Amino acid sequence: MTAVLAGCGVTGGSGDVTLTLVAADYGDSDANSSEKYWDALVEAYEKDHPGVTVEVTVHSWNDVDREVKKLVDAGRAPDMAQIGAYADYAAEDLLYRAGDVLSIPVQADFVPQLADAGEVRGVQYGMPFASSTRLLFYNKTLFAQAGITAPTTWAELAEDARALKADGVKYPYALPLGPEEAQAETMQWLLSGGGGYTETATGYSLDSTENVHTFTWLKNELVGEGLTGPVAPGRLDRADAFAAFAVGQVGMLNGHPSLMKTAAKKGVKFGMVPMPGLDGPTKVSMGVADWMTAFKQNGHAEQVKDFLNFVYSEKNVLDFSREYDLLPVTNSASQTMTAASRDADLKPFLDQLPVSELYPVGRTSWAAVSADVKKRIGQAVQPGGSPAGVLGRLQTTATTAESGTGG
């Protein structure tokens, strides 16, 4: 889906400026497409800024990063791009620093974890635009029928899954390690086992003892016991797992806030708890952020700054977060949502944000590492697969990518 939202400003005078923004679509239908969000926001902005026109082009998440790269490669970088990654552009010195295009109060209002994740070598280039965390969703009806309660440890999760399987549940625990978003499910499990993608500021730790233990447990105790459903985890995509949960075929899975609306629409009664860990609920949750970037090519720093200060006003951050069931990226909007009864269903996710860890997106190597995880990680849990072997190969890719890019 591509649409250009041309602003209402009139150009012609020498002081007039047209700003271009390429944005991702968070909607799941025409009714709530991001075009409508940006259309209303731009109209409100231009009313008070007659010399500025803002043209927004909206692409699906499948296309937006590629479309921005095409524009940049062709020497026609947009003034702003709201995309999934920023490190490559920062490394090529194509981006303004966040401090160049945001006022000090606006930049200081970002949730600290998100602001830190937007940094490359201590300088912020990626401005968080949307965020979410993950919780373990479980089907309350299926749990009641099996006489079980929400798990807090891996052992309890496996025990619950066995009870669900005995009741004929199709996916006792849905483990989407397919290519769509395997890097997310992988990271959530690695964190729950006390590991993660990185343990130092400079290197990856994919084949750490903790990570090998985590995937050995998954292979032996869940997949090997037939507790993850009829589709091999390496071929199960996140969207398919969510869809199966929404029709009552899944006992448990990791989900983000948008799953609440999808499941509720279909009448699925669900609960949400922190991801179980080895000895109790996981201390560190997985956080995800998408990024706003500002390109230097057109030299519109002053106008971009004025527009982005408006974009990140509390009202606009709240409007966006509420429309798409996402977590706000600013402290002011987070505090408002935490206190508002209308946002009570997001509170468990908001509570996870201060203890969340994000992908290492500040490294230019992350794109290659993430792609390799999506391609290979499912092999670690398949019959005859070697968790240590697969994680070792992923570590080799990561080390090569890191040394090749200089981080």
Side-chain angles (χ1 to χ4, degrees):
M1 180 191 324
T2 305
V4 177
L5 313 174
C8 313
V10 180
T11 54
S14 59
D16 291 348
V17 169
T18 297
L19 296 178
T20 53
L21 164 62
V22 179
D25 193 358
Y26 289 83
D28 56 13
S29 67
D30 288 345
N32 72 343
S33 116
S34 291
E35 296 161 30
K36 294 194 172 177
Y37 172 80
W38 286 111
D39 211 4
L41 185 146
V42 165
E43 189 177 342
Y45 180 78
E46 288 181 344
K47 198 159 60 176
D48 294 329
H49 300 80
V52 181
T53 301
V54 185
E55 293 182 352
V56 184
T57 310
V58 175
H59 293 283
S60 79
W61 267 113
N62 292 334
D63 303 325
V64 67
D65 287 278
R66 184 175 64 247
E67 291 299 325
V68 170
K69 186 175 187 308
K70 265 198 243 171
L71 290 170
V72 173
D73 290 348
R76 296 184 293 115
D79 291 296
M80 295 160 282
Q82 187 266 300
I83 46 180
Y86 63 85
D88 285 346
Y89 299 129
E92 292 166 31
D93 196 28
L94 299 176
L95 301 179
Y96 285 115
R97 297 172 175 216
D100 297 332
V101 288
L102 293 173
S103 69
I104 290 170
V106 169
Q107 190 179 3
D109 195 27
F110 286 132
V111 173
Q113 278 85 347
L114 304 179
D116 291 349
E119 292 183 355
V120 176
R121 296 186 180 87
V123 178
Q124 187 180 355
Y125 293 95
M127 296 166 270
F129 185 75
S131 70
S132 70
T133 54
R134 303 290 162 103
L135 291 168
L136 183 77
F137 281 68
Y138 65 97
N139 184 311
K140 283 186 168 180
T141 306
L142 298 179
F143 266 58
Q145 287 168 357
I148 53 177
T149 55
T152 60
T153 65
W154 287 1
E156 289 173 5
L157 187 149
E159 196 178 319
D160 285 350
R162 283 193 290 273
L164 291 163
K165 184 185 180 185
D167 264 9
V169 175
K170 189 172 181 181
Y171 294 91
Y173 178 87
L175 183 67
L177 296 177
E180 181 197 357
E181 208 194 33
Q183 83 284 4
E185 184 74 12
T186 297
M187 182 169 172
Q188 185 63 73
W189 276 99
L190 296 183
L191 292 171
S192 76
Y197 284 128
T198 57
E199 282 176 3
T200 66
T202 54
Y204 287 87
S205 55
L206 280 147
D207 60 351
S208 69
T209 304
E210 292 87 354
N211 292 349
V212 171
H213 176 253
T214 295
F215 266 82
T216 301
W217 186 89
L218 277 173
K219 177 177 183 287
N220 295 339
E221 304 300 324
L222 284 190
V223 183
E225 294 291 322
L227 302 178
T228 54
V231 179
R235 293 203 301 273
L236 182 64
D237 279 336
R238 195 274 318 271
D240 294 334
F242 276 22
F245 186 83
V247 293
Q249 295 177 341
V250 174
M252 300 172 274
L253 85 173
N254 280 314
H256 51 60
S258 71
L259 182 56
M260 293 190 298
K261 191 179 277 183
T262 312
K265 262 186 200 164
K266 301 271 192 177
V268 172
K269 292 184 171 58
F270 59 89
M272 301 176 300
V273 292
M275 176 69 182
L278 269 170
D279 306 312
T282 302
K283 303 283 191 295
V284 182
S285 173
M286 190 189 80
V288 178
D290 303 323
W291 305 97
M292 179 69 78
T293 55
F295 287 86
K296 296 196 283 191
Q297 183 178 326
N298 304 319
H300 291 150
E302 191 181 327
Q303 294 86 358
V304 167
K305 182 175 186 174
D306 195 68
F307 178 67
L308 287 181
N309 285 338
F310 180 73
V311 167
Y312 283 107
S313 68
E314 184 180 334
K315 177 192 180 300
N316 287 328
V317 172
L318 282 170
D319 285 350
F320 178 82
S321 302
R322 285 168 169 160
E323 178 63 39
Y324 299 109
D325 287 321
L326 289 161
L327 304 185
V329 295
T330 60
N331 290 312
S332 55
S334 291
Q335 286 159 8
T336 298
M337 284 185 91
T338 299
S341 57
R342 66 181 285 192
D343 301 310
D345 55 349
L346 280 172
K347 192 171 183 310
F349 295 95
L350 281 164
D351 290 345
Q352 292 288 305
L353 197 54
V355 292
S356 65
E357 186 173 311
L358 282 80
Y359 299 130
V361 286
R363 304 179 184 204
T364 52
S365 55
W366 170 242
V369 174
S370 175
D372 205 35
V373 170
K374 290 179 184 182
K375 183 175 149 190
R376 292 182 193 270
I377 195 65
Q379 299 164 17
V381 296
Q382 69 188 25
S386 163
V390 170
L391 290 167
R393 287 194 290 279
L394 288 169
Q395 179 65 24
T396 301
T397 298
T399 304
T400 304
E402 185 75 2
S403 59
T405 62

